[in-house]
Amino acid sequence: MRSIAITFVHFYQRFISPLLPPSCRYYPTCSNYMVTALKKFGFIKGTIMGIARILRCNPFVHGGVDPVPDKFTLRRNPHPERYVDEIIAKKFYADK
């Protein structure tokens, strides 16, 4: 099931997402977050985390760096600064 869900997300990234204007307020994007959550937590928990992230990605939030946390949670990652090994995370926190 996990591989089917990942294939569906890759299909979305390749064929549907380019047709839409960029609107994700987070890094990594919601679709990349979903793939990582599926790989890290399996089909059920990964899907739940991905859907929760999509619901958080709306015009009323500031956005920012929000990588998949090490433990299952439906909330935003409370410590994204721990992921400073990523280039964009370094740049994001250097500006503040």
Side-chain angles (χ1 to χ4, degrees), residues 50-68:
I51 291 171
R53 166 69 177 275
I54 291 168
L55 293 175
R56 283 196 312 267
C57 188
N58 62 66
F60 303 108
V61 297
H62 178 62
V65 178
D66 182 29
V68 177

Side-chain angles (χ1 to χ4, degrees), residues 14-43:
R14 175 124 171 112
F15 298 107
I16 298 172
S17 182
L19 301 174
L20 304 172
S23 60
C24 190
R25 299 178 177 279
Y26 290 107
Y27 172 82
T29 63
C30 293
S31 59
N32 287 330
Y33 184 96
M34 174 74 91
V35 170
T36 305
L38 286 166
K39 288 179 180 177
K40 201 172 204 179
F41 294 103
F43 177 72

